[in-house]
Amino acid sequence: MTTGGHTQIGNIDLVKQLNSAAVYRLIDLHGPISRIQIAEQSQLAPASVTKITRQLIDRGLIKEVDQQASTGGRRAISIVTETRAFQAIGVRLGRYDATITLFDLSAKALAEDHYPLPERTQDELEQALLKAISHFIEYNQRKIRELIAISVILPGLVDPESGVIRYMPHIPVNDWPLVTALESRFDMACFVGHDIRSLALAEHYFGATQDCEDSILVRVHRGTGAGILSNGQIFIGRNGSVGEIGHIQVDPLGERCHCGNFGCLETIAANAAIEQRVRHLLEQGYQSRLTVDDCNIKAICKAANKGDPLACEVIEYVGRHLGKAIAIAINLFNPQKVVIAGEVTEADKVLLPAIGSCINTQVLKAFRKNLPVMCSALNDRSAIGAFALVKRAMLNGMLLQRLLES
Ligand SMILES: [Zn+2]
């Protein structure tokens, strides 16, 4: 009986949360929008819409704006979201540092700082990270009106439900309860997520895949990873990890990968591997405007864009191997769009055609029709993926409800 009662209350709360979220989502997506339009599109009763919008207005999450009706004459009241009254912190935790960004709810970056984090144990890293976030909050206090969430993205194996980090590539972690640590320190909603999957979600909210529900993002950086979106959601699965495109074998006779296999994609498509290949060819005497002392990924892309034969050859080589793995992914998932991210996209004029020619020959004809392959729109915004998790929690009602109740 008690259990049944609890379930009932739970369901009513959940319905409330979902209805508020439905209204907020419509305003976020289509605002300025009138209450009548919201009722039509959400199929909620007009009285419910009135009640929910009242709550959202009282909390300062949405606001009314006057709008001249398109026919002229009567003024119609429309509603938009209020984005400047709330801030969230997005953190991208890298191998040796963290990028911390202050966002408002429109995803605008209000402040950003980099903190070196050389700590190599879980406890030390946790302490240093919490300290860096505290410092960042204090330093940017004037820009913060109401801080509603902190979100951290990182490479590794992340359990987004429990907020526990199971594995990181560069330090040993032992089921690191990062969300618990963040929430007990900062007393607000906190999130953790995988860096590349979160970036794929950010592209969907703010970048290149806003116009589609199913997409694949492939990012080349220290390795190669992918984020797959299906129906506008991160495809993750029960095992908690999907998209290890970097370990598809693209060359059976290739280099040994850190995973133990040979010829994995990321033995070729990774910044260090690209730089290494250029260095190797230079040492063999190939002519290029690049020199052994100046062949970082940035310089290589720049040279490729200027038509340097060696740089072009290496970027094409990377593109062909990326293309091979991406073609497999397209055949498996049939996405509406493919997005490439990472420093190497600076050489897009050389890279994208190389990827494209693989796709054209290796993907089912029906799947490659109308399939744009493009560069990330968010390449320079490394913590935006972290903010995407905050945005998701607003849109699905989880964080929204928390704000309404506080
Ligand atoms: Zn591997």
Side-chain angles (χ1 to χ4, degrees):
M1 193 62 195
T2 349
T3 319
H6 278 302
T7 314
Q8 280 298 317
I9 290 163
N11 283 342
I12 291 165
D13 281 346
L14 183 64
V15 169
K16 254 168 71 181
Q17 172 175 330
L18 293 177
N19 287 348
S20 304
V23 170
Y24 185 80
R25 266 200 312 274
L26 281 172
I27 300 168
D28 182 67
L29 197 63
H30 301 298
I33 181 171
S34 70
R35 286 183 176 80
I36 296 165
Q37 290 169 310
I38 294 170
E40 280 168 5
Q41 295 189 31
S42 65
Q43 301 197 315
L44 290 168
S48 300
V49 172
T50 304
K51 193 177 161 200
I52 292 168
T53 51
R54 172 53 50 204
Q55 288 169 339
L56 292 170
I57 288 173
D58 288 346
R59 187 62 181 83
L61 287 156
I62 59 171
K63 62 187 175 192
E64 290 180 334
V65 287
D66 260 350
Q67 257 207 332
Q68 198 75 29
S70 55
T71 48
R74 267 189 60 195
R75 288 156 78 86
I77 299 289
S78 288
I79 300 172
V80 295
T81 53
E82 173 58 81
T83 56
R84 291 196 300 194
F86 303 93
Q87 284 75 36
I89 286 178
V91 181
R92 184 185 179 274
L93 185 58
R95 289 194 184 212
Y96 302 102
D97 60 358
T99 302
I100 307 185
T101 308
L102 182 68
F103 293 95
D104 70 14
L105 284 189
S106 72
K108 184 178 167 195
L110 306 173
E112 181 165 289
D113 231 323
H114 301 275
Y115 290 82
L117 293 175
E119 288 74 11
R120 290 296 89 151
T121 71
Q122 176 184 316
D123 284 343
E124 286 168 3
L125 182 61
E126 178 179 308
Q127 289 314 312
L129 178 64
L130 295 179
K131 203 174 150 195
I133 296 171
S134 293
H135 176 268
F136 181 81
I137 292 172
E138 209 163 295
Y139 190 76
N140 291 291
Q141 202 53 252
R142 281 186 312 117
K143 293 175 181 161
I144 297 173
R145 285 164 69 182
E146 182 179 348
L147 192 58
I148 59 169
I150 298 172
S151 173
V152 179
I153 55 168
L154 43 84
L157 204 49
V158 183
D159 182 346
E161 300 260 330
S162 63
V164 169
I165 316 303
R166 308 266 182 225
Y167 166 84
M168 287 185 81
H170 57 294
I171 66 160
V173 294
N174 185 13
D175 289 344
W176 183 16
L178 182 53
V179 161
T180 306
L182 287 163
E183 289 192 329
S184 61
R185 172 74 166 258
F186 297 105
D187 193 26
M188 67 182 76
C190 295
F191 308 94
V192 293
H194 179 265
D195 55 358
I196 301 174
R197 283 195 288 273
S198 305
L199 181 62
L201 189 64
E203 291 286 352
H204 181 54
Y205 290 147
F206 318 114
T209 58
Q210 286 182 64
D211 58 345
C212 58
E213 295 292 302
D214 305 330
S215 61
I216 297 177
L217 174 133
V218 176
R219 178 169 179 261
V220 179
H221 187 56
R222 283 180 199 276
T224 321
I228 299 159
L229 292 198
S230 173
N231 289 320
Q233 311 274 342
I234 297 174
F235 178 61
I236 174 101
R238 274 287 133 209
N239 289 333
S241 190
V242 194
E244 288 295 340
I245 198 170
H247 299 284
I248 290 179
Q249 189 183 54
V250 290
D251 180 2
L253 301 174
E255 302 273 321
R256 180 112 196 212
C257 178
H258 63 87
C259 75
N261 293 334
F262 289 89
C264 292
L265 175 62
E266 71 177 39
T267 64
I268 293 165
N271 288 354
I274 296 168
E275 291 163 1
Q276 177 63 33
R277 187 169 178 81
V278 168
R279 214 169 291 127
H280 178 71
L281 292 172
L282 286 171
E283 279 162 0
Q284 289 194 327
Y286 286 90
Q287 291 302 305
S288 168
R289 69 171 68 218
L290 293 161
T291 64
V292 177
D293 298 326
D294 182 27
C295 62
N296 60 36
I297 185 72
K298 230 183 159 121
I300 295 167
C301 291
K302 211 169 153 186
N305 285 338
K306 287 185 176 162
D308 182 83
L310 184 137
C312 286
E313 158 59 32
V314 170
I315 297 292
E316 276 165 15
Y317 175 80
V318 172
R320 283 197 302 277
H321 288 89
L322 266 175
K324 192 171 172 179
I326 290 170
I328 293 171
I330 295 170
N331 280 334
L332 289 175
F333 292 100
N334 190 11
Q336 295 167 284
K337 206 177 255 189
V338 174
V339 180
I340 316 290
E343 291 84 351
V344 71
T345 59
E346 276 295 307
D348 58 334
K349 283 175 198 67
V350 184
L351 183 74
L352 291 186
I355 294 173
S357 71
C358 286
I359 291 173
N360 278 332
T361 53
Q362 295 163 25
V363 166
L364 276 181
K365 202 172 171 190
F367 288 12
R368 67 175 191 256
K369 231 168 82 186
N370 306 320
L371 175 65
V373 178
M374 54 179 56
C375 294
S376 164
L378 306 168
N379 253 337
D380 304 325
R381 307 184 61 188
S382 69
I384 188 84
F387 180 72
L389 303 181
V390 177
K391 179 85 180 180
R392 178 175 67 183
M394 288 298 286
L395 296 179
N396 70 20
M398 201 267 258
L399 179 55
L400 188 75
Q401 195 61 35
R402 198 166 158 159
L403 293 176
L404 285 172
E405 284 164 8
S406 66

